[in-house]
Amino acid sequence: MEAGDRNGDEYILPPHQLYERLSHLAGYTWDQSVEPFHSSYDNWHVFGIQHAQRDKTTAPSPAAVGAGAPSASSKSSPKLGARPTFRHYNTSSEAMTDLLSVKTDQERSFTPVIARVSTHSLRLEREYHLKKAFIQTSDPECNHTVRLISLVRLPSRQSDSGPLAVEIFESPGRNYLRDLTDFGPAWYFSKQHSTKDDDILSSAYVSPEPRGKLSLATFLDFAIGASECLELLHHGLKVVHGEIRADAFHFNQDTGVVKIVNFGSGPRSFEHAGGLTSAGWSTLSRQTGIKYRLMFIAPEQTGRMSAEPDYRTDLYSLGILFWTMLAGEPAFEGPTPMDMMQAVLSKRLSPISNIRFDIPDCLSGIILRMTQKQIDDRYHSASGLKHDLVELKRILGEGDSEGLINFKIGSRDVSSSFVLPMSIMGRSQEKRRIVQAMERIAQRQQSLHQINGTRMNSIKSTTASTMSDHLDRTEMVEGVTRSSDVSSQDAKDTEPSPALEPVSSASPHLRRLSVDEPESYDPPVAVEKPLLESATSRDSVQTTLTVDSYVSGNTRSTQRSKPMSTVAPRRPTKHRYGHRRRCEVITIYGSGGLGKSSLIQSTQGEIRRLGYFASAKFDPARKVPYESMLRAMSSLFRQIFSESDINTPYHNDIRTGIRPFWSSLSTMLDLPESLVSMDGPGQSRTHPGRPNKALQLEFGDGTSSLSASSANCAGSQSMTDFLRGGTSTYSSKCLSIFLEVLRVLATSKMICLSFDDLQFADEESVDLICNIIGRKLGLLIIVGLLPLDPCETCLNSLSSSHAEKLNNFPGLFDMLEVCHRKGCLWYSWKDSAWEFDLDRVFAEFESESYGDQLNTSFILKRLQDLPPTARAILAWGSLLGSTFSFSLVQELFSGAFDCVDDSSDQRKLGDTKDSEIYSAKLCETAVEGLQAATQAYILMPTGDEDQFSFSHDRYVQASASLRECQDVESMHFYIAQTLMKYSSTDNHSLYARAEHICQAKRLINGRVQHRSRYREILSQAAQRAIDSGARPTALQYYSVCLNLLQPKPWHEGTDVYYDETLDVFTRAAQLHWHQGLPERAMQLAAEALEATTIASDRAPVWIITSRLLSQQGDVAGAFQALKTSIIELGVEWEKSLTLENLDIQFDELRRRVQEADRSNTLVKPLLQDPARACLGAVLAEAISAAFWSDATMFYQVASTMLHQHMIHENMFPQMGLGFCYFAMIAVVRKSDIPFAIQCEDCGRRMLAEYKDSYTYGRGLALNAMFIESFRSPIREHISIFEEAIQHAQVSGDKHLLLLSHGLIASCRLWQGDDMAEIENYCMYAAEDFGDWSKDVRGGTYLTAVR
């Protein structure tokens, strides 16, 4: 490989004081005259000798050092000093064995050894146990691998990046393979420099010397030996190596023996290579020698092919090694790791016989067959490969030219390994229906893209109606039904067309596609489009309840005061209001194991030909809001921006569309910010280090915490945010971002989203999917789900009455695997064929009842055959999720968090059933149990060596049924406590901690006296859920938080904190109201009002009460609640004021404003008193409510607000909005234009000084409506309303957004724009907020213009 692949000088140094630390291992002497080397598997290798054992305590045993400390010894090796030189490279394992066999016991003085040192302790420990199993099952004489001695762990030091594990084995001698091929830049030596106090090791890469052509005889010796190693690995141990490259093998030139010395990390070691995750790909791409390592991976290891890695993956990598050895050059080359991966996927190797004319064509054909891109086109077994190589060597040795000509490749290539076929049988009709749906969407999208490109905003009214009618008409094609979410044309002509809201319980015309659905079909049934939001919408909640962010001196005040300072509001893109393309939804419905996922995966090739495909699977044990949706969207970006040409108009359009929020979006999607370059045409790169703060507020960083010491501090949001804006909602913001991103991606390419196991989806994800369907984004959505009762499934809104249940038998592949493992199905070496015993098959699956019960029962039987440690790992894993941390399971095995029941004594480790889920024995055998589960293909390693995943969700369900998993509540309690101890600072585990606390709430209430830390985690998780728009999840956490409060939560005492109780009650009441539970919300609010006496504490509760009363129709009571709060906050409220009285107050306030120094009026600092800060928020709530219903009340509140500002030295943060309201009164009531302009100027400058999205957006709209007409023409007002729309989207202000859209439509009507454009704008502008035609406050203008 070229020197550039080394990525500069980023070499990994050996562990600090390595020789000194190794010297503590008893019975060994380490040779410092031989340079240690670093392999491409990220291990250091140190040479030494093992002294002859003179007693039983000389050498440490693996069990003794498994706990992490070196074993005691009777005699230590010298610490450091002069040692004799031991030439390991002049010995071989075979020669040394022969030499030692003729010596007596007294003459056996030493054995050359190598210490493999690694910071990846778990990986090395797994490899050690794998080698032990390999030796026991396939190579007891160690003819094909090294002879193991021991595995030890060195005590960690501060300078270590992780715990050090050391694997010691007999030295096999000099590796002649190093002279035959390049081991890559990651294989390098370390130099030692001695100082007075220490030995310093440095690393240096030594470029390989130029090599001559590899002789054919030497190559065949190595190739046959390497094939035999893989044959034993695959057939004996049934393990896929996954990381075959040059230094995986050791080649002894003298004996011709090939040994496999590195066993790799499994076939999914490069999962991040296709992932482009910020933590994965960014780190991987910077590693030394990464391009060399990527050269050997198989295409299916990139994650971009439907095939799963298996034994043939190793044969591909071995074929690449063969090619590079013979050619003397890299198989693939590229300037970057991404180019190298693209070459692996697409570039075909040239026949080696075209490069070297001395290579027979049959050998070239063997290598080409090994390196086929499609896994089914390769050799099926290492045995077949070895047979061809041996036969070729025989023919060449005998000089049989005729045999060489007639050589047939793969003549004995019958797989003796049990590999199930990748192709799908009997699903051609269903696959054809899916492909037809894809082609229809792609064709329709291409047509519309061409139309929009030439006539985006100049389509005549009749043409627009015709096109809309054509696209919205329900189409039926044999066997497939698509969703259509548009009302009939008649309804369009007679009524305003309401846009769709988040779907809750019903949906458009969506049918399930059963995998075995018959060819006949029913005609579509006209379904009345449901009202997706009640008239009393609760989308107006701003779920924030603290006040201290506006109090001077608080560290968060400056961060919250200018949330939009880094966001330049942009005008809506034209495509947003162009023609809509309805989504098509295909539901694949059937039992687990029927191949729903396989059917979807089989269509990836066709989908990628037409567009992009992303899939996500919902985890029943890990319901994190939006997690699966984020994975799907992240996959789309990875595909789009990993193409060879990312400067097409499509890519540039995406850059333009996502530029305002890419900084935050990249963090959410776990993508490197540099993935999408912002240097597209006409765009400027986002300044590094300046994230989009407005969007960060949107999605939250999860770092906020509940403070029990601050009177008004709880989480990252402020009470004033909640109090100031009754129409804000975080969920609408998040939905808008998701939908806008998908809208941009689907402008000119077909996008297919696949969601599997949707019955396990979180409520927020289901709501988002329904919104995607309802927004007519032109996507293809494929849904897979189990046959649940319609009233129980989360997809009852996406189903129709004629859905059919799949009746085929599930789990057929699992049954075949069980048959093979139980000996009912076997490979006959004698006949070179597979045979079976049908009677034994029937006996194996005999059951009292047959049907769906067999789906889990026989899998459970398979799990029960595993060792106890493996079953315990699976039991814990089933509660942790489909992917879990092995180190976490090891901590759980320790049983450090056993719980005590109030009525029983402490249970001790090893008692009764608890010994099955935690004990000292389980800790000792954890790695062996993990190996057993992975070798049974129940668990699979991932790109992270500590993370393992279930190979299928059926194993998760079966593991949850094990007897080890009986006391589930206690296990959740152990998990919660373990996560709280070891992952307390990990933001990624916050939802997991909260979820396990919820599952163990009964135990926590009964067995834990001080529960504040549990409530704190729940509050943090709830706040993060609120920030991401996941209010149902937030409500769940706050409900459990209420349950964990003490019986008397309002009386200070043990585990009782007044501030915490107030915060939990207020937030829970707000969320209950928003989720349609007014009775419970009123109950919580009433209890909080009864228990609190401080006016600033009662203010948010009064606002919630006001909203509840308003929702019930009690308008008078709602205003009375707000007036009560205003009076409690120290403001005198005059009753029965008339307009004449208010006019007198207006004249007085006008005089004071005109006489006041304008600079002093504007530069007042923010209020420091929490009560005064609350007053401004309550006044803003009252004036916003009165604006629509009571002119006198509106007049009085606005006057009161301005009066409070003039008599105090500090100002409300909402005062800029107050000046705008007062300017409106000056125009409408007094016709005092100069004073109105003066007030508007004051308000505008205040809004700019203390800008936040809610008040700034409303202030812009008010000024444009009532004041700007005196300053500028109407055509200039549109840009102001568009800026207000951008702020309304960030704050989630529904009414402002609708009002601004209506005003834009009015301005365009008044200035004489094209009527077809105005009609199109009115139809689609406000679709993000449901049935806007019934909203008299926001939708009136749009309705009037239409």
Side-chain angles (χ1 to χ4, degrees):
M1 298 293 289
E2 67 274 14
D5 190 26
R6 300 196 304 271
N7 292 343
D9 297 324
E10 297 180 5
Y11 292 108
I12 300 176
L13 296 177
H16 186 59
Q17 296 182 338
L18 178 58
Y19 281 109
E20 190 273 333
R21 298 166 72 175
L22 288 175
S23 68
H24 292 288
L25 299 180
Y28 298 93
T29 299
W30 305 103
D31 189 358
Q32 300 184 48
S33 65
V34 180
E35 298 172 348
F37 68 88
H38 180 274
S39 72
S40 66
Y41 296 91
D42 200 11
N43 300 320
W44 283 99
H45 297 73
V46 180
F47 296 88
I49 60 172
Q50 180 189 28
H51 300 285
Q53 297 185 12
R54 304 198 179 275
D55 53 59
K56 297 182 179 180
T57 62
T58 302
S61 63
V65 297
S71 62
S73 63
S74 58
K75 182 179 179 180
S76 305
S77 61
K79 182 176 181 181
L80 283 176
R83 298 186 178 89
T85 300
F86 304 101
R87 298 300 180 186
H88 295 264
Y89 47 83
N90 290 331
T91 63
S92 66
S93 58
E94 289 79 6
M96 183 57 65
T97 301
D98 294 339
L99 175 64
L100 295 179
S101 64
V102 299
K103 293 185 177 182
T104 63
D105 291 341
Q106 298 296 327
E107 295 174 326
R108 295 180 185 175
S109 58
F110 67 87
T111 301
V113 296
I114 295 177
R116 177 174 291 163
V117 184
S118 176
T119 56
H120 308 285
S121 56
L122 176 59
R123 182 200 304 174
L124 190 63
E125 190 171 354
R126 288 184 57 222
E127 184 177 352
Y128 177 81
H129 289 288
L130 195 62
K131 289 178 182 176
K132 285 179 60 178
F134 181 77
I135 293 172
Q136 294 171 0
T137 59
S138 304
D139 192 23
E141 299 299 326
C142 295
N143 294 324
H144 299 88
T145 190
V146 293
R147 191 180 301 277
L148 297 176
I149 297 177
S150 65
L151 176 71
V152 297
R153 288 199 178 191
L154 299 179
S156 299
R157 296 188 179 181
Q158 188 175 5
S159 59
D160 295 338
S161 59
L164 288 182
V166 181
E167 177 191 79
I168 303 176
F169 54 87
E170 290 188 10
S171 173
R174 182 176 181 270
N175 192 354
Y176 179 58
L177 193 60
R178 172 68 176 157
D179 298 333
L180 304 180
T181 187
D182 185 14
F183 282 7
W187 199 99
Y188 50 84
F189 290 100
S190 176
K191 302 289 185 179
Q192 180 176 351
H193 308 281
S194 298
T195 62
K196 292 182 179 180
D197 302 324
D198 199 359
D199 288 340
I200 301 175
L201 293 175
S202 62
S203 301
Y205 174 74
V206 179
S207 300
E209 298 179 358
R211 304 180 178 90
K213 288 185 178 181
L214 175 63
S215 68
L216 189 57
T218 302
F219 168 77
L220 288 175
D221 286 341
F222 169 76
I224 293 172
S227 302
E228 190 170 359
C229 289
L230 290 187
E231 181 183 27
L232 294 175
L233 185 67
H234 294 169
H235 302 162
L237 204 57
K238 302 187 185 305
V239 168
V240 180
H241 189 286
E243 286 192 284
I244 292 293
R245 45 186 178 266
D247 57 336
F249 298 100
H250 179 279
F251 184 31
N252 190 306
Q253 180 184 15
D254 299 328
T255 63
V257 173
V258 178
K259 295 188 176 186
I260 184 168
V261 294
N262 284 293
F263 277 60
S265 302
R268 298 183 180 273
S269 305
F270 288 91
E271 195 167 87
H272 288 302
L276 290 178
T277 60
S278 58
W281 173 258
S282 299
T283 301
L284 186 68
S285 60
R286 290 194 300 267
Q287 292 179 2
T288 300
I290 181 58
K291 290 194 293 181
Y292 175 84
R293 294 166 58 194
L294 289 175
M295 181 175 67
F296 291 94
I297 68 172
E300 61 271 15
Q301 288 182 279
T302 64
R304 303 191 180 190
M305 300 184 70
S306 58
E308 290 291 328
D310 61 20
Y311 304 125
R312 293 165 290 184
T313 299
D314 288 344
L315 300 181
Y316 175 91
S317 301
L318 186 62
I320 297 295
L321 177 59
F322 288 173
W323 195 95
T324 57
M325 291 177 66
L326 291 173
E329 62 184 43
F332 307 113
E333 292 184 297
T336 65
M338 182 60 68
D339 294 322
M340 183 67 73
M341 191 171 64
Q342 290 290 346
V344 169
L345 289 167
S346 58
K347 183 180 178 182
R348 296 281 181 179
L349 289 177
S350 300
I352 193 65
S353 57
N354 292 350
I355 300 175
R356 286 184 54 175
F357 298 107
D358 60 329
I359 301 297
D361 290 337
C362 53
L363 178 57
S364 181
I366 289 173
I367 296 176
L368 286 180
R369 182 163 182 171
M370 296 173 68
T371 56
Q372 289 296 307
K373 302 298 182 183
Q374 296 297 324
I375 194 170
D376 290 331
D377 296 335
R378 302 173 198 155
Y379 276 95
H380 296 293
S381 66
S383 301
L385 170 62
K386 188 184 75 169
H387 174 270
D388 285 355
L389 293 172
V390 171
E391 185 66 14
L392 178 60
K393 182 179 180 180
R394 183 193 64 79
I395 293 174
L396 293 175
E398 295 177 355
D400 186 359
S401 58
E402 184 177 353
L404 195 62
I405 295 174
N406 298 326
F407 186 85
K408 184 178 180 181
I409 298 175
S411 60
R412 299 288 297 274
D413 186 28
V414 178
S415 178
S416 59
S417 300
F418 189 70
V419 180
L420 294 169
M422 300 302 299
S423 58
I424 300 177
M425 306 297 180
R427 301 297 187 203
S428 57
Q429 295 182 5
E430 290 79 9
K431 181 178 178 180
R432 175 174 55 83
R433 297 170 193 167
I434 297 176
V435 173
Q436 288 174 348
M438 301 173 192
E439 293 174 344
R440 281 193 303 273
I441 284 189
Q443 184 177 6
R444 184 188 310 121
Q445 196 165 29
Q446 184 178 5
S447 301
L448 282 178
H449 181 61
Q450 293 173 353
I451 294 174
N452 291 336
T454 57
R455 304 170 65 186
M456 176 67 72
N457 289 312
S458 60
I459 302 176
K460 300 301 181 182
S461 179
T462 56
T463 305
S465 301
T466 304
M467 178 65 70
S468 178
D469 178 49
H470 171 70
L471 295 179
D472 294 334
R473 188 179 299 116
T474 303
E475 301 177 21
M476 288 296 303
V477 178
E478 183 176 2
V480 180
T481 309
R482 283 97 48 204
S483 67
S484 175
D485 32 77
V486 185
S487 301
S488 66
Q489 184 65 25
D490 294 338
K492 293 181 184 178
D493 296 336
T494 57
E495 298 179 2
S497 176
L500 291 176
E501 270 271 300
V503 178
S504 58
S505 62
S507 88
H509 319 141
L510 176 68
R511 292 176 52 192
R512 291 175 177 152
L513 169 62
S514 175
V515 177
D516 63 347
E517 184 177 339
E519 293 299 321
S520 61
Y521 60 90
D522 297 329
V525 180
V527 180
E528 182 179 357
K529 184 167 66 175
L531 292 177
L532 303 177
E533 183 187 29
S534 63
T536 55
S537 172
R538 291 173 298 276
D539 266 354
S540 58
V541 179
Q542 178 85 353
T543 323
T544 49
L545 294 177
T546 61
V547 301
D548 58 346
S549 65
Y550 282 109
V551 177
S552 178
N554 188 290
T555 58
R556 290 176 295 183
S557 60
T558 57
Q559 298 175 3
R560 297 284 296 179
S561 62
K562 298 182 181 181
M564 292 294 295
S565 59
T566 60
V567 181
R570 58 186 179 90
R571 299 187 62 170
T573 56
K574 291 184 178 181
H575 70 80
R576 176 177 180 137
Y577 308 119
H579 295 295
R580 295 298 190 262
R581 293 93 63 196
R582 55 185 169 80
C583 294
E584 298 203 19
V585 182
I586 301 175
T587 304
I588 303 178
Y589 179 73
S591 301
L594 284 172
K596 300 186 298 296
S597 301
S598 299
L599 176 61
I600 297 172
Q601 293 295 328
S602 68
T603 62
Q604 281 198 41
E606 289 80 0
I607 297 175
R608 290 304 304 269
R609 176 174 56 86
L610 300 171
Y612 301 98
F613 172 84
S615 62
K617 192 178 184 71
F618 292 97
D619 189 348
R622 182 181 170 83
K623 291 190 176 182
V624 177
Y626 301 120
E627 183 180 51
S628 297
M629 307 296 297
L630 292 173
R631 284 200 300 267
M633 188 175 293
S634 177
S635 176
L636 289 176
F637 277 98
R638 294 197 303 266
Q639 295 174 49
I640 294 171
F641 286 95
S642 62
E643 296 177 329
S644 56
D645 184 7
I646 57 174
N647 292 314
T648 65
Y650 174 67
H651 292 84
N652 292 330
D653 288 344
I654 293 177
R655 293 185 178 99
T656 302
I658 67 174
R659 180 174 60 90
F661 41 81
W662 173 245
S663 178
S664 294
L665 188 63
S666 62
T667 302
M668 293 171 54
L669 302 181
D670 194 22
L671 295 172
E673 191 170 349
S674 59
L675 176 65
V676 179
S677 173
M678 293 302 163
D679 290 334
Q683 303 297 335
S684 60
R685 179 175 295 275
T686 302
H687 193 283
R690 292 184 183 179
N692 187 329
K693 297 182 183 300
L695 270 297
Q696 284 184 338
L697 296 178
E698 229 172 77
F699 299 106
D701 57 4
T703 58
S704 60
S705 60
L706 178 66
S707 173
S709 60
S710 173
N712 299 290
C713 178
S716 63
Q717 308 298 330
S718 70
M719 181 189 298
T720 315
D721 286 338
F722 161 69
L723 292 172
R724 59 123 207 259
T727 57
S728 298
T729 164
Y730 277 107
S731 67
S732 61
K733 293 185 296 182
C734 296
L735 285 174
S736 298
I737 294 298
F738 276 115
L739 297 174
E740 181 66 17
V741 170
L742 289 175
R743 195 192 311 277
V744 171
L745 297 181
T747 50
S748 58
K749 294 285 188 178
M750 190 203 73
I751 302 295
C752 178
L753 299 179
S754 172
F755 303 108
D756 203 0
D757 284 339
L758 202 56
Q759 69 278 356
F760 298 131
D762 54 282
E763 185 175 344
E764 293 82 5
S765 294
V766 174
D767 180 68
L768 178 56
I769 294 173
C770 294
N771 274 273
I772 293 173
I773 297 171
R775 293 301 192 268
K776 294 188 288 185
L777 303 181
L779 277 64
L780 175 63
I781 299 177
I782 304 177
V783 173
L785 69 159
L786 295 176
L788 299 179
D789 187 275
C791 65
E792 298 175 357
T793 178
C794 62
L795 275 187
N796 55 2
S797 60
L798 299 182
S799 60
S800 59
S801 58
H802 59 275
E804 297 183 14
K805 180 179 178 180
L806 192 61
N807 294 319
N808 292 4
F809 186 77
L812 185 59
F813 276 19
D814 289 306
M815 290 188 63
L816 291 174
E817 289 181 357
V818 171
C819 288
H820 178 252
R821 186 173 52 84
K822 291 292 188 178
C824 308
L825 176 68
W826 67 92
Y827 178 77
S828 174
W829 292 89
K830 180 180 179 181
D831 300 327
S832 296
W834 285 90
E835 299 179 356
F836 60 90
D837 187 334
L838 197 56
D839 293 333
R840 295 172 65 180
V841 172
F842 285 138
E844 182 63 33
F845 296 102
E846 184 178 0
S847 177
E848 296 180 357
S849 59
Y850 295 94
D852 290 342
Q853 292 81 4
L854 192 61
N855 185 30
T856 302
S857 63
F858 82 88
I859 297 178
L860 186 59
K861 288 174 61 178
R862 180 183 180 187
L863 301 186
Q864 290 171 346
D865 292 338
L866 294 172
T869 307
R871 294 199 305 270
I873 292 174
L874 297 178
W876 286 112
S878 66
L879 300 183
L880 293 172
S882 58
T883 301
F884 60 89
S885 166
F886 178 68
S887 60
L888 175 59
V889 174
Q890 287 180 302
E891 294 294 342
L892 293 169
F893 279 171
S894 67
F897 298 104
D898 193 11
C899 55
V900 184
D901 190 88
D902 293 337
S903 59
S904 63
D905 296 330
Q906 172 79 27
R907 289 187 302 228
K908 297 184 179 180
L909 293 179
D911 290 350
T912 64
K913 62 188 177 187
D914 287 331
S915 61
E916 298 177 348
I917 58 173
Y918 59 83
S919 66
K921 183 178 180 180
L922 291 177
C923 294
E924 296 173 0
T925 59
V927 178
E928 289 90 335
L930 178 64
Q931 281 300 116
T934 53
Q935 288 181 235
Y937 293 101
I938 296 170
L939 295 179
M940 300 185 304
T942 64
D944 186 344
E945 65 180 68
D946 184 50
Q947 297 288 322
F948 294 84
S949 62
F950 285 89
S951 59
H952 198 279
D953 56 353
R954 294 192 300 276
Y955 292 129
V956 182
Q957 301 168 18
S959 299
S961 302
L962 290 168
R963 69 173 184 271
E964 287 84 357
C965 209
Q966 289 180 355
D967 194 356
V968 176
E969 191 174 16
S970 295
M971 295 176 71
H972 280 295
F973 184 52
Y974 304 157
I975 294 172
Q977 293 183 96
T978 305
L979 289 174
M980 290 168 64
K981 178 177 180 180
Y982 296 103
S983 303
S984 58
T985 60
D986 182 11
N987 289 328
H988 295 288
S989 68
L990 179 59
Y991 279 131
R993 282 177 277 160
E995 187 63 30
H996 290 296
I997 290 173
C998 291
Q999 297 295 332
K1001 60 182 179 182
R1002 187 189 64 85
L1003 280 180
I1004 296 173
N1005 250 333
R1007 302 179 181 182
V1008 180
Q1009 183 178 3
H1010 295 84
R1011 302 187 286 270
S1012 59
R1013 61 191 187 117
Y1014 298 95
R1015 299 192 298 267
E1016 181 178 358
I1017 292 173
L1018 290 171
S1019 298
Q1020 292 175 4
Q1023 187 57 57
R1024 178 183 291 186
I1026 292 170
D1027 291 343
S1028 62
R1031 286 187 296 254
T1033 299
L1035 177 59
Q1036 174 193 356
Y1037 293 155
Y1038 273 124
S1039 298
V1040 176
C1041 202
L1042 285 170
N1043 185 262
L1044 295 182
L1045 290 172
Q1046 295 295 334
K1048 297 181 179 180
W1050 296 101
H1051 300 83
E1052 291 279 358
T1054 302
D1055 194 44
V1056 175
Y1057 308 96
Y1058 168 83
D1059 304 321
E1060 177 195 16
T1061 303
L1062 174 65
D1063 178 76
V1064 171
F1065 266 77
T1066 308
R1067 292 174 183 265
Q1070 178 195 14
L1071 287 169
H1072 277 89
W1073 167 71
H1074 191 280
Q1075 293 303 112
L1077 301 170
E1079 295 81 5
R1080 177 59 175 162
M1082 185 64 79
Q1083 179 184 355
L1084 293 171
E1087 184 174 347
L1089 289 174
E1090 182 180 355
T1092 56
T1093 58
I1094 302 174
S1096 59
D1097 294 342
R1098 296 164 61 87
V1101 186
W1102 278 121
I1103 288 186
I1104 295 175
T1105 303
S1106 172
R1107 294 174 180 174
L1108 286 167
L1109 294 173
S1110 177
Q1111 180 182 336
Q1112 296 172 2
D1114 187 359
V1115 179
F1119 277 111
Q1120 183 60 42
L1122 294 175
K1123 286 190 292 184
T1124 302
S1125 179
I1126 293 173
I1127 294 172
E1128 289 179 352
L1129 290 170
V1131 176
E1132 295 183 3
W1133 187 267
E1134 299 183 36
K1135 299 181 180 180
S1136 304
L1137 285 178
T1138 63
L1139 291 176
E1140 290 74 14
N1141 300 135
L1142 293 172
D1143 286 339
I1144 296 174
Q1145 292 184 4
F1146 178 91
D1147 295 336
E1148 176 63 21
L1149 289 171
R1150 177 172 53 186
R1151 182 187 62 79
R1152 297 184 62 174
V1153 170
Q1154 291 175 338
E1155 293 177 355
D1157 184 356
R1158 182 172 299 184
S1159 60
N1160 293 334
T1161 305
L1162 292 175
V1163 297
K1164 288 184 177 181
L1166 287 176
L1167 287 166
Q1168 300 182 15
D1169 182 7
R1172 301 292 299 169
C1174 286
L1175 174 60
V1178 176
L1179 288 171
E1181 173 77 12
I1183 199 172
S1184 297
F1187 181 86
W1188 301 97
S1189 57
D1190 192 328
T1192 304
M1193 180 69 69
F1194 170 77
Y1195 199 173
Q1196 182 176 3
V1197 176
S1199 301
T1200 302
M1201 194 171 187
L1202 185 58
H1203 175 72
Q1204 291 293 319
H1205 173 75
M1206 298 303 297
I1207 65 175
H1208 289 90
E1209 297 180 356
N1210 303 94
M1211 63 172 287
F1212 307 125
Q1214 303 87 357
M1215 199 56 231
L1217 188 59
F1219 266 101
C1220 293
Y1221 281 125
F1222 209 71
M1224 184 194 74
I1225 296 173
V1227 172
V1228 176
R1229 179 71 181 171
K1230 293 292 187 176
S1231 299
D1232 190 345
I1233 307 303
F1235 179 67
I1237 293 176
Q1238 179 184 355
C1239 290
E1240 186 268 345
D1241 182 63
C1242 292
R1244 180 162 44 82
R1245 294 177 61 182
M1246 288 181 182
L1247 290 172
E1249 181 69 22
Y1250 304 105
K1251 180 167 59 177
D1252 74 279
S1253 296
Y1254 176 81
T1255 56
Y1256 193 76
R1258 290 210 161 192
L1260 286 174
L1262 282 172
N1263 292 338
M1265 288 173 64
F1266 297 99
I1267 309 299
E1268 283 299 321
S1269 58
F1270 300 108
R1271 291 180 169 180
S1272 59
I1274 290 179
R1275 63 176 179 271
E1276 297 182 7
H1277 298 178
I1278 295 179
S1279 61
I1280 301 176
F1281 290 125
E1282 287 179 344
E1283 185 178 358
I1285 287 174
Q1286 298 303 316
H1287 290 284
Q1289 288 178 332
V1290 172
S1291 66
D1293 192 338
K1294 170 183 176 179
H1295 302 302
L1296 175 59
L1297 187 142
L1298 292 176
L1299 183 64
S1300 298
H1301 278 306
L1303 290 167
I1304 290 177
S1306 302
C1307 290
R1308 296 181 66 176
L1309 177 66
W1310 295 332
Q1311 71 181 13
D1313 282 2
D1314 187 279
M1315 301 298 287
E1317 294 182 21
I1318 300 175
E1319 180 185 8
N1320 196 37
Y1321 183 88
C1322 292
M1323 184 178 300
Y1324 298 119
E1327 67 176 356
D1328 288 344
F1329 289 96
D1331 195 3
W1332 53 266
S1333 62
K1334 296 186 178 181
D1335 191 313
V1336 296
R1337 290 179 288 180
T1340 304
Y1341 273 98
L1342 278 175
T1343 303
V1345 172
R1346 290 197 64 195

